[in-house]
Amino acid sequence: MFSLVRKLDCPVFLVLTKIDLVAKDQLLPMIDALAKQHHFAEVIPVSARKKDGLDLLLGKVVEALPTGERYFPKDQYTDQPQRFMVAELIRERILVETGEEVPYASAVVIERFEEPEPEAAPRKKGAPAKLPLTRIAAAIYCEREGQKAILIGKGGAKLKEIGTGARKQIESLLGTRVYLELHVIVEPNWRESRSFVEALDWRHQLERIAEKQNREGDAGE
């Protein structure tokens, strides 16, 4: 291991983990012995369980990183498309509303994302500005009928709560009003299906949307 480290031409950190499991009288000699194996830029003992040394480690890593080229504007916090962000906000709301009842057995697929049409006519003088409307339809996939019942809730109450909470967050993200439709689909053991998991990738979703639009366009000619 150390022979590989010695070939590197970048700063190398020695990070000792789980130090809470080692007696203090044994820890210091261990650190000293390992530190002599290489000229480390930093030697940092940490305990994730007790959160010891984590802030120091993060700070030292940031200090050691070279300043890189900025690839995105300062106000752009992600390179992911809006559809992906919307799906994640809906999924986040599912976790908040259902707790551990449907932990990670849910996936969200955006089926329709209709951006606002440009304003057709100018507003009357003095009329309050009205935000444009984005229409979104999403499918929530789960693995069992029992999970579907939890997601929908009695009389659809839980699904309504999920939709209301997610809609507010999506409106904040998009800066528009949002009309959000949600429905729940049971896909048994979807997490074990490689093809289904790959289909959840937003790139594949955009490809399917483009293909659907092309088919609809060809049919309308």
Side-chain angles (χ1 to χ4, degrees):
M1 179 184 69
F2 287 110
S3 61
L4 294 174
V5 169
R6 294 187 185 104
K7 296 177 182 179
L8 300 175
D9 60 354
C10 61
V12 178
F13 286 14
L14 173 62
V15 181
L16 295 95
T17 63
K18 300 184 179 181
I19 59 170
D20 54 294
L21 301 179
V22 182
K24 288 186 178 180
D25 60 339
Q26 297 176 2
L27 181 61
L28 292 178
M30 183 188 302
I31 293 174
D32 184 60
L34 291 171
K36 290 178 180 178
Q37 300 298 319
H38 180 70
H39 182 63
F40 293 101
E42 298 288 345
V43 178
I44 305 175
V46 301
S47 168
R49 186 170 68 87
K50 293 188 174 182
K51 299 183 179 179
D52 290 339
L54 298 181
D55 290 339
L56 175 63
L57 174 60
L58 180 60
K60 292 297 183 180
V61 169
V62 172
E63 287 178 11
L65 290 173
T67 302
E69 180 182 353
R70 181 179 292 279
Y71 292 100
F72 303 99
K74 288 184 178 181
D75 58 350
Q76 183 176 340
Y77 57 88
T78 179
D79 62 345
Q80 302 299 315
Q82 287 183 335
R83 287 172 174 80
F84 173 82
M85 297 298 294
V86 166
E88 286 298 286
L89 288 174
I90 296 171
R91 188 167 178 271
E92 177 188 48
R93 203 66 212 170
I94 292 169
L95 297 177
V96 170
E97 294 292 344
T98 63
E100 297 181 359
E101 294 177 294
V102 190
Y104 296 99
S106 61
V108 177
V109 174
I110 303 300
E111 297 181 325
R112 189 175 75 250
F113 191 104
E114 296 179 1
E115 297 182 4
E117 295 288 340
E119 195 171 358
R123 296 194 314 272
K124 295 182 180 179
K125 188 176 181 180
K130 190 175 182 180
L131 290 174
L133 177 67
T134 303
R135 297 180 180 273
I136 300 171
I140 301 173
Y141 286 87
C142 59
E143 294 184 315
R144 299 190 300 272
E145 288 292 339
Q147 294 169 347
K148 179 178 180 179
I150 292 170
L151 287 165
I152 294 176
K154 187 176 181 179
K158 182 59 66 177
L159 191 61
K160 184 177 180 180
E161 289 176 7
I162 293 169
T164 299
R167 178 177 54 77
K168 291 178 180 178
Q169 292 180 295
I170 296 169
E171 287 179 337
S172 179
L173 171 70
L174 302 181
T176 70
R177 292 177 295 134
V178 169
Y179 178 78
L180 178 62
E181 295 180 40
L182 299 176
H183 63 280
V184 183
I185 300 174
V186 176
E187 182 72 25
N189 302 316
W190 67 261
R191 287 179 292 179
E192 299 174 12
S193 170
R194 181 176 178 179
S195 60
F196 185 85
V197 172
E198 288 178 348
L200 294 177
D201 188 292
W202 60 264
R203 298 173 184 85
H204 292 130
Q205 294 181 31
L206 290 180
E207 289 173 1
R208 291 199 303 271
I209 291 172
E211 290 173 359
K212 181 179 178 182
Q213 290 175 340
N214 290 334
R215 289 196 302 269
E216 292 174 349
D218 294 339
E221 293 179 357

